[in-house]
Amino acid sequence: MRKTIPALALALSMAVPFADAADTGQLACRTTEECAAQAARIGAYVPVPAATLTATSKLDQAEDQFYWMNKINKASTVMLVEERILTREMGRAIGKGVAHAIDQAGKPGGKRPSDVLQIEKIITDAIGPDGSLIHAGRSRQDMYATYRMARLRNQVLDFTDALNSLRERVLVLAGRNVNTIVPAYTNGVQAQPISYAHYLLAYEASFGRDAQRVQDLYRRMNRSAMGTAVLANSSWPLDRKRMADLLGFDGIIENSLDSSQVSPSDIALEAAAIASSNAIRLGAVLQDIHTQYHQTRPWLLLEEGATYTSSAMPQKRNPGLIMRAREGASNVVGLAQTVTLRGHNVTTGMTDYKEPAAEIGLFPQAVRALVATNRVVDVLTVNPKRSLEELEDDWTASMELAETLQKDHQVPFRVGHSFASEIVTFARANGLRPRDFPYAKAQELYAQAIAKYKLADARLPIAEPEFRKVLSAEYMVTSRVGIGGPQPAEVERMLAGAQAALRSDKTWMQKTRQSLRDADARLDTAFDALLRN
């Protein structure tokens, strides 16, 4: 399992330091690899290592097509002997040929081909033509479909580990910002004040739905095609369920045509949609952070040393970590469209749709985007004083004025809304903020609003202290009621619920990975027993 929260991560600062950006020319490095690592650490552009574009983890890289063809060979040999399609003696001989094919690959001059028949040639060269009996009832079609689903399984699980790591980081950050008041936006402008924890929990909830989608997908994805031959089964009485169990699948894809010719399309599309949807929301979060860098006094920054200098402009503090993460998320969205197009308007049985996600590196890029976002969250600093100042410089709490008049003084909402709108119009025209808006002018504008709607009492029913209070962003947040609001008690409740959901999702991951390890152990035990007896 990956380590999630680094010891140095999420150190939040109450100040907004204009950080000493890293000068890549001054970063000591002795080798090409060290230079690339130093630049990548702060988000400066470096070419992406090829391995990160083709595999989601070292495990995924190791479990390539050669690995899986031989794993299938082991399971097939065990099953063929159990079903008495092969004698035990013949099964033992073929098993030794399979073991030889695996062992020779790790020796100097060893071969690691991916094609079924090339691997079979290694076996028959070692034990003779009887080695080809392992292919009873099989085809490249069902073998490759099984491998592709297993590869997708690995990559989706790696994606989910990275996703859960991000969720954990976000919840830690939310826990530290329950009382950090920030502006929320609709239509690109300030709308209402909320807490930063409330904002973070909204996106964490969406990432939690991604985890749910993965678990739902996994029930359909973790099914085996093995034993269906080309697409219509064979005359050999193969035990498909036994092979599925030995290979770590929860069951079989029942319809033999579906198994290798249809399901690869819709399962791949479903998986790609999850990655794409997640990447779009990653991009939204990263864009919200990046937007702060447009300001001269942001309330969100990357911590000192996590940005890099411009080569020409001394004032620049480039947030490369954010840019690289956004680029990664955009790559995922684009690659997901490639998966869609590869499956579009193609007749059944073609290769186009059968392995697009792996061929184009969709999930390696998706994992890379999540890891890059994790790095952003690790070094994100929040300045509550500055975010509150931004709210107090605008009229984001003016809706509370209209609501208070309606709730406490029975003033029709549209009247109160008109009154509050006139205040904002006058204030902006005269450079006034809520804290210094003249109360007498508010009384005058209220009387005008009452006259406009032809109501009787033209006296503003709230005194100046209450007028100031209801225009306070902090008051608007703390006075909210109802499920899911930004008030601290409700945020704390949602935070606890999100933490519990994450624990449950991580438990599912642990059980799922353990189930795969258990299946490997069952296969090894059965295969080794065949070789010994």
Side-chain angles (χ1 to χ4, degrees):
M1 294 296 289
R2 291 185 179 86
K3 297 290 183 183
T4 50
I5 302 296
L8 298 179
L10 304 174
L12 301 178
S13 172
M14 292 296 290
V16 179
F18 281 92
D20 292 333
D23 180 346
T24 53
Q26 300 301 317
L27 298 176
C29 55
R30 295 166 294 180
T31 66
T32 300
E33 291 75 16
E34 282 188 10
C35 292
Q38 288 279 27
R41 184 181 64 82
I42 54 174
Y45 175 75
V46 291
V48 180
T52 67
L53 297 178
T54 58
T56 52
S57 65
K58 290 182 179 179
L59 175 67
D60 180 46
Q61 193 170 15
E63 294 192 355
D64 59 5
Q65 189 162 321
F66 174 82
Y67 168 89
W68 266 98
M69 292 303 99
N70 282 292
K71 191 170 184 174
I72 291 171
N73 282 341
K74 290 167 67 175
S76 293
T77 306
V78 168
M79 182 274 299
L80 289 171
V81 171
E82 290 177 348
E83 294 301 305
R84 300 185 180 181
I85 296 170
L86 295 178
T87 65
R88 181 164 291 276
E89 292 73 19
M90 181 59 69
R92 185 182 305 114
I94 292 176
K96 288 180 179 179
V98 173
H100 165 73
I102 296 170
D103 292 342
Q104 63 82 36
K107 296 178 180 178
K111 296 182 290 186
R112 198 178 179 88
S114 59
D115 183 75
V116 172
L117 297 183
Q118 290 176 327
I119 296 172
E120 185 179 296
K121 179 77 164 51
I122 297 173
I123 296 172
T124 56
D125 283 350
I127 69 168
D130 284 346
S132 64
L133 294 174
I134 195 175
H135 207 57
R138 302 191 323 189
S139 165
R140 279 194 183 99
Q141 296 289 330
D142 62 342
M143 295 179 73
Y144 287 179
T146 301
Y147 156 68
R148 288 162 178 160
M149 201 65 79
R151 181 88 191 274
L152 183 62
R153 176 176 70 186
N154 272 350
Q155 295 194 343
V156 167
L157 291 178
D158 287 340
F159 167 83
T160 308
D161 273 336
L163 173 67
N164 287 343
S165 180
L166 174 61
R167 293 170 65 194
E168 189 164 3
R169 285 166 159 83
V170 168
L171 291 178
V172 170
L173 186 59
R176 297 187 179 188
N177 286 278
V178 171
N179 296 301
T180 300
I181 311 300
V182 303
Y185 299 85
T186 61
N187 300 308
V189 295
Q190 277 194 34
Q192 290 184 332
I194 58 172
S195 69
Y196 196 49
H198 190 248
Y199 168 91
L200 293 169
L201 286 173
Y203 276 98
E204 195 283 329
S206 80
F207 299 148
R209 290 190 289 274
D210 288 332
Q212 294 168 12
R213 292 180 182 107
V214 167
Q215 292 177 34
D216 197 38
L217 164 70
Y218 196 82
R219 288 192 289 272
R220 290 180 286 279
M221 177 177 66
N222 200 36
R223 300 280 165 176
S224 171
M226 270 312 300
T228 58
V230 177
L231 52 80
N233 290 350
S234 72
S235 58
W236 294 101
L238 307 183
D239 188 342
R240 294 186 60 206
K241 293 182 179 179
R242 175 60 169 157
M243 281 192 288
D245 178 69
L246 291 172
L247 296 172
F249 293 96
D250 295 329
I252 63 171
I253 303 170
E254 188 172 83
N255 185 291
S256 60
L257 177 63
D258 182 25
S259 68
S260 59
Q261 309 303 328
V262 179
S263 64
S265 177
D266 70 275
I267 296 296
L269 286 168
E270 185 176 1
I274 293 172
S276 177
S277 173
N278 172 262
I280 287 171
R281 280 169 284 114
L282 287 185
V285 172
L286 292 162
Q287 179 72 356
D288 284 348
I289 298 171
H290 206 177
T291 298
Q292 290 286 313
Y293 276 80
H294 298 178
Q295 301 187 31
T296 55
R297 298 177 61 234
W299 52 268
L300 284 177
L301 278 175
L302 303 184
E303 68 184 26
E304 187 171 351
T307 58
Y308 63 91
T309 61
S310 165
S311 63
M313 295 165 283
Q315 84 281 5
K316 292 288 295 296
R317 302 294 184 264
N318 294 316
L321 291 179
I322 302 173
M323 293 187 291
R324 300 289 91 82
R326 287 179 59 197
E327 289 168 4
S330 296
N331 287 342
V332 173
V333 176
L335 291 172
Q337 301 312 306
T338 301
V339 174
T340 300
L341 292 172
R342 284 274 295 266
H344 171 66
N345 212 22
V346 178
T347 56
T348 308
M350 300 297 288
T351 61
D352 307 51
Y353 59 81
K354 290 185 177 179
E355 197 182 20
E359 286 182 2
I360 64 178
L362 170 62
F363 275 94
Q365 287 275 19
V367 169
R368 185 167 172 264
L370 283 164
V371 170
T373 305
N374 285 343
R375 295 176 66 196
V376 171
V377 177
D378 284 346
V379 296
L380 190 65
T381 66
V382 184
N383 184 347
K385 183 178 179 181
R386 174 69 190 100
S387 63
L388 183 59
E389 179 185 317
E390 184 169 319
L391 282 162
E392 290 176 341
D393 282 346
D394 205 353
W395 289 84
T396 313
S398 59
M399 177 180 149
E400 181 64 14
L401 178 58
E403 286 201 339
T404 298
L405 288 169
Q406 179 185 19
K407 178 166 55 75
D408 296 341
H409 303 283
Q410 293 74 54
V411 176
F413 179 75
R414 199 54 56 199
V415 177
H417 184 281
S418 177
F419 163 58
S421 181
E422 288 299 325
I423 284 181
V424 172
T425 299
F426 183 87
R428 286 177 173 165
N430 292 276
L432 298 170
R433 293 166 295 186
R435 61 179 172 271
D436 52 26
F437 191 88
Y439 179 70
K441 186 63 180 179
Q443 292 174 308
E444 177 186 332
L445 292 174
Y446 182 78
Q448 292 175 9
I450 291 296
K452 175 182 176 182
Y453 285 92
K454 299 179 173 59
L455 298 178
D457 191 353
R459 180 181 56 84
L460 181 59
I462 56 176
E464 184 171 359
E466 186 179 8
F467 175 76
R468 303 291 177 201
K469 181 181 71 173
V470 298
L471 288 176
S472 159
E474 289 179 285
Y475 175 78
M476 187 168 182
V477 170
T478 58
S479 65
R480 298 302 86 185
V481 297
I483 296 173
Q487 63 270 32
E490 188 63 6
V491 168
E492 293 280 11
R493 185 194 63 79
M494 289 190 290
L495 179 61
Q499 291 166 337
L502 177 57
R503 286 193 297 270
S504 176
D505 291 339
K506 292 175 75 174
T507 297
W508 180 86
M509 281 293 299
Q510 291 166 359
K511 290 180 177 178
T512 299
R513 288 200 181 276
Q514 186 59 52
S515 178
L516 295 176
R517 288 191 290 268
D518 291 344
D520 285 344
R522 287 194 298 274
L523 176 58
D524 289 343
T525 298
F527 187 72
D528 292 346
L530 176 63
L531 295 183
R532 289 195 306 270
N533 298 324

